[in-house]
Amino acid sequence: MSESTVAIETPLASLHQSEGATMGQWFGCALPDDWGNAAAEERFGAESVALIDKNYRAYLGFSGPDRVRYLNAILTNNIKDLGTGQGIISLLLNPQGRILAEIETYALGERLFCVSYAMIRARLVEWLEKYIIMDDVVLTDETEGWGMLAVEGPRSGEVLTEVAGLDLPTLGELKFVEARVGGVDCRVMGRWPGGVAGAEFLAERGDLEKLWRVLSDATRRAGGGPMGYSALSARRLVQGIPWFGYDFGEQQIPHEAGLELSHISYTKGCYTGQEIVERVRSRGQVNRRRVRLQFEGDVVPAAGAALAAEGKQIGQVTRAARSFYPPAILGMAYVRKESSEAGSIVEWSLGRGKVL
């Protein structure tokens, strides 16, 4: 995606800018970089509660009697055993086993609802429609109708109880309930990135500004505030959570990306790309692997920075950022298997790094 191409602009852009936000491009979308103090924003997520604009999503609905069988046959995780109110995260692979998309699927009674990324929206719809051959399935692109906000941090539960009367610990990962938040009808999903408490709020796009104001007031009362993507990127590196489109995508297969335990069912039966996944699993190794790195010094490597070991190029950085909680320069990279063990030292043009 070129720098001039923006998949979607958050409907809250004017509100964010009026509150002092600097906007940037993340996941191909116009979203806040920060509100002037990335360190304070990262602290909200680490120590109290942060409010996040997650309007980089694409939303697809699936109806029809074959919807479950259809999605179960093309996604890597087990869709057929989802109960109403439950969700699961999967990958869409091509026949060569490479990652086309990361998709969350939620069971809504007589429908399935999928959440992915606006930056691949058009291609994703094209890929998914290609697999609807004899199935009685109707795919609807609902991206324009929805938006998403999130709270994250150790005091997220207080915010959720205040605004929705919900008990966050009862909302497991990707489980959801319907709720009303400050007069706004929402679908509230439990999210626990890196084991940190959090929740996402799916609402109609026209209600997002009202919902943001309600959540903003509640997070501030809990000692938090908004967090932009400069700080969020650092938080995800601290947590060891890779980002689709940054740390994995069409150049990787699931085992290279380290997603084989979180995104794949090995008992569900056939799906597109399964032959490659099973072959890699039986072989027990891949030639390169995604790793998390801590860099020496005070310079943040750029994405794509080459990495070497003992004078030989062994990989490259996918993403790096300065974290303030804890203070460190952290990154992710793909390196050859012989340099992927914890404690391995890698070199780049301006210093060294260690595999965590």
Side-chain angles (χ1 to χ4, degrees):
M1 180 175 293
S2 69
E3 289 296 320
S4 61
T5 303
V6 177
I8 194 171
E9 180 177 76
T10 172
L12 301 177
S14 296
L15 175 61
H16 293 332
Q17 290 170 313
S18 73
E19 294 179 344
T22 299
M23 304 298 287
Q25 186 167 315
W26 298 87
F27 297 103
C29 301
L31 292 161
D33 279 333
D34 58 66
W35 275 263
N37 190 337
E41 294 166 30
E42 190 181 349
R43 180 173 56 82
F44 293 151
E47 298 183 354
S48 55
V49 56
L51 174 59
I52 308 164
D53 179 339
K54 288 198 169 180
N55 285 298
Y56 57 85
R57 299 295 208 172
Y59 305 101
L60 306 176
F62 295 86
S63 57
D66 296 335
R67 65 190 182 279
V68 174
R69 182 179 66 189
Y70 159 75
L71 280 177
N72 203 60
I74 62 172
L75 299 181
T76 57
N77 229 328
N78 187 352
I79 308 302
K80 64 182 176 62
D81 290 342
L82 281 180
T84 299
Q86 296 179 329
I88 199 166
I89 193 163
S90 307
L91 300 171
L92 176 68
L93 306 179
N94 69 15
Q96 292 73 43
R98 298 191 178 274
I99 300 168
L100 299 178
E102 181 183 47
I103 299 175
E104 297 166 14
T105 303
Y106 297 90
L108 310 178
E110 297 302 309
R111 300 176 67 235
L112 291 173
F113 187 75
C114 287
V115 181
S116 192
Y117 295 79
M119 63 185 175
I120 59 167
R121 172 186 174 189
R123 287 188 297 157
L124 180 59
V125 170
E126 181 181 341
W127 291 327
L128 292 171
E129 286 183 333
K130 181 179 69 173
Y131 289 110
I132 301 176
I133 302 172
M134 300 298 291
D135 299 290
D136 188 355
V137 177
V138 177
L139 185 166
T140 53
D141 184 350
E142 303 177 17
T143 303
E144 299 298 332
W146 299 102
M148 186 177 288
L149 307 178
V151 292
E152 178 180 318
R155 300 189 69 178
S156 296
E158 297 176 33
V159 171
L160 190 59
T161 299
E162 177 187 336
V163 301
L166 297 174
D167 182 24
L168 182 55
T170 65
L171 275 182
E173 178 75 2
L174 297 177
K175 292 184 178 179
F176 68 89
V177 296
E178 305 292 339
R180 194 160 176 84
V181 178
V184 176
D185 290 324
C186 298
R187 187 175 303 145
V188 182
M189 286 83 75
R191 298 306 301 261
W192 297 77
V196 176
E200 293 179 339
F201 301 79
L202 181 76
E204 293 184 3
R205 287 177 73 84
D207 290 331
L208 286 179
E209 184 169 330
K210 181 177 182 180
L211 181 62
W212 176 272
R213 294 184 188 280
V214 170
L215 293 173
S216 179
D217 289 345
T219 54
R220 292 185 189 281
R221 284 191 290 271
M227 178 166 67
Y229 279 73
S230 295
L232 183 60
S233 180
R235 288 299 301 151
R236 292 296 182 261
L237 289 171
V238 170
Q239 295 161 339
I241 298 174
W243 274 355
F244 174 76
Y246 292 80
D247 306 310
F248 65 96
E250 288 187 60
Q251 300 304 310
Q252 287 81 37
I253 61 175
H255 285 75
E256 291 174 332
L259 304 176
E260 68 273 19
L261 300 180
S262 55
H263 289 59
I264 295 174
S265 167
Y266 295 97
T267 60
K268 57 166 279 185
C270 295
Y271 56 86
T272 304
Q274 183 201 22
E275 182 179 348
I276 303 300
V277 171
E278 286 296 331
R279 187 185 307 164
V280 172
R281 183 168 72 134
S282 64
R283 192 174 64 192
Q285 61 184 13
V286 287
N287 292 327
R288 59 175 183 159
R289 184 83 177 179
R290 178 181 58 81
V291 297
R292 194 163 64 104
L293 298 168
Q294 181 170 340
F295 294 96
E296 297 177 353
D298 197 46
V299 180
V300 178
L307 299 173
E310 299 179 350
K312 297 180 180 179
Q313 186 166 338
I314 51 100
Q316 64 181 29
V317 174
T318 59
R319 178 169 57 105
R322 181 187 308 278
S323 168
F324 297 94
Y325 294 89
I329 305 295
L330 299 173
M332 285 192 182
Y334 284 89
V335 300
R336 294 192 60 80
K337 62 182 179 181
E338 58 267 25
S339 297
S340 64
E341 295 296 322
S344 297
I345 301 298
V346 301
E347 301 169 346
W348 69 294
S349 61
L350 297 179
R352 303 198 312 167
K354 180 175 68 174
V355 177
L356 298 176

